[in-house]
Amino acid sequence: QVQLVESGGGLVQAGDSLRLSCTASNRPSGRYAHAWFRQAPGRDREFVAAVRQTAGHTYYADSVKGRFTISTDNAKSTIHLQMNSLKPEDTALYYCAISTTHILSTIRLPSAYNSWGQGTQVTVSS
């Protein structure tokens, strides 16, 4: 069973940067997607970014494109989310997830992901 552990969250000011990390144990082999989602209080969980590990293709939500970068370490057991130019609206609990069952059209949907971490809080003050 895949286990995911996030780290790197914190309290920052608007315009600052943070780097989140997610380490996977018992990482699946073959084709899978590794993604970040976030959820603010009272809101649905929303897609942030994903990487398809076989091809290395990356995908971003429009709200973070150009500010956030998803990357994978050489062993592919850890993904990072570099978040620059943070805004108060980026405040949320950030989750990493893995999908072994997705297709391209579902890569942005939480329902396509079958393993989730516990989340790390990011708070951006204005």
Side-chain angles (χ1 to χ4, degrees), residues 76-98:
K76 298 184 178 179
S77 60
T78 299
I79 62 167
H80 306 283
L81 186 68
Q82 178 66 42
M83 305 186 294
N84 298 329
S85 302
L86 283 161
K87 305 175 181 180
E89 51 264 43
D90 294 319
T91 295
L93 190 60
Y94 282 70
Y95 297 91
C96 76
I98 280 181

Side-chain angles (χ1 to χ4, degrees), residues 5 19-25 27 32 34 36 51-54 56 58 69-81 98:
V5 179
R19 189 186 195 218
L20 305 184
S21 298
C22 172
T23 299
S25 58
R27 180 174 57 85
Y32 65 95
H34 207 160
W36 289 96
V51 55
R52 300 181 82 190
Q53 293 291 19
T54 300
T58 56
T69 303
I70 190 170
S71 61
T72 307
D73 72 0
N74 289 337
K76 298 184 178 179
S77 60
T78 299
I79 62 167
H80 306 283
L81 186 68
I98 280 181

Side-chain angles (χ1 to χ4, degrees), residues 38-54:
R38 66 187 182 187
Q39 188 167 19
R43 301 189 65 176
D44 292 336
R45 191 167 297 189
E46 66 171 351
F47 172 78
V48 176
V51 55
R52 300 181 82 190
Q53 293 291 19
T54 300

